[in-house]
Amino acid sequence: MFSFDFKIKDLISYEEINDTDILKNLQFGEIDTVIDLIAIGLGCDVDEAVKMLDNALQTHALIEIIENIAWCLVGKQEVKEDTPKIDKNEYKSLTDIFEEMYQQLQIVDGLGLTDFLNMSTRYLYKYSDGIQKRYILKKNEELQ
């Protein structure tokens, strides 16, 4: 299927310009949003994205394509049963989630805003995991 490279700034800009919530649109299967995200994630124009979607629909169901896009946006991870759940009403949009992540990264790492906005979502989740591991190692060293 598709391998997307979403830049955080592009997603935030899309939500702002279109006054929309990407995750909610995907939840409801909004085809225009799917096409726009294919274009953003693959760096092509909308016409090319439509062709790619048509081709993908020959072998995959629309729900599979939407799930693929969603996992690229929010980071595919195995969630354990005892993992605390996020209240869906706490965030209004994907932009809210990114802003919260940026604030939390500021606390432990001091990542610059430009660097954050230019990150791909895939790298953002790897970066966050790395910070978490580094924090745990540092705390363990301090406790020893």
Side-chain angles (χ1 to χ4, degrees), residues 2 35 38 45-57:
F2 300 112
I35 291 168
I38 290 171
D45 63 25
V46 172
D47 292 334
E48 185 66 24
V50 169
K51 291 176 189 173
M52 293 176 144
L53 178 59
D54 285 341
N55 289 338
L57 288 170

Side-chain angles (χ1 to χ4, degrees), residues 101-113 115-116 119 123-124 127-128 130-132 134-135 138:
M101 288 182 82
Y102 177 68
Q103 288 174 352
Q104 294 201 8
L105 287 172
Q106 282 296 102
I107 293 169
V108 293
D109 198 53
L111 179 68
L113 181 59
D115 292 332
F116 177 78
M119 273 188 195
Y123 185 72
L124 170 64
Y127 184 83
S128 298
I131 287 175
Q132 182 181 19
R134 189 171 69 215
Y135 177 79
K138 185 176 177 184

Side-chain angles (χ1 to χ4, degrees), residues 53-67:
L53 178 59
D54 285 341
N55 289 338
L57 288 170
Q58 302 301 315
T59 55
H60 300 295
L62 180 59
I63 189 69
E64 290 177 293
I65 296 167
I66 290 172
E67 285 175 351

Side-chain angles (χ1 to χ4, degrees), residues 5-142:
D5 188 24
F6 293 111
K7 297 280 187 220
I8 294 169
K9 67 179 177 181
D10 295 336
L11 297 170
I12 291 172
S13 178
Y14 179 83
E15 284 193 337
E16 186 176 293
I17 290 169
N18 294 290
D19 191 28
T20 193
D21 178 356
I22 290 171
L23 296 178
K24 189 178 289 182
N25 291 355
L26 289 178
Q27 181 181 359
F28 292 114
E30 296 286 336
I31 198 73
D32 290 341
T33 301
V34 171
I35 291 168
D36 289 341
L37 289 173
I38 290 171
I40 292 168
L42 297 177
C44 63
D45 63 25
V46 172
D47 292 334
E48 185 66 24
V50 169
K51 291 176 189 173
M52 293 176 144
L53 178 59
D54 285 341
N55 289 338
L57 288 170
Q58 302 301 315
T59 55
H60 300 295
L62 180 59
I63 189 69
E64 290 177 293
I65 296 167
I66 290 172
E67 285 175 351
N68 182 40
I69 293 170
W71 282 125
C72 291
L73 291 173
V74 299
K76 187 171 187 173
Q77 298 177 10
E78 289 186 31
V79 180
K80 299 175 187 170
E81 283 187 32
D82 61 342
T83 301
K85 305 289 187 261
I86 295 174
D87 179 7
K88 291 179 184 177
N89 296 322
E90 182 179 343
Y91 298 101
K92 295 182 184 108
S93 66
L94 188 59
T95 298
D96 292 338
I97 293 170
F98 288 141
E99 287 174 349
E100 176 70 21
M101 288 182 82
Y102 177 68
Q103 288 174 352
Q104 294 201 8
L105 287 172
Q106 282 296 102
I107 293 169
V108 293
D109 198 53
L111 179 68
L113 181 59
T114 301
D115 292 332
F116 177 78
L117 292 174
N118 286 314
M119 273 188 195
S120 68
T121 53
R122 181 176 5 147
Y123 185 72
L124 170 64
Y125 298 114
K126 289 181 182 192
Y127 184 83
S128 298
D129 287 344
I131 287 175
Q132 182 181 19
K133 288 175 186 173
R134 189 171 69 215
Y135 177 79
I136 291 169
L137 285 172
K138 185 176 177 184
K139 278 296 179 193
N140 285 338
E141 288 174 355
E142 289 174 4

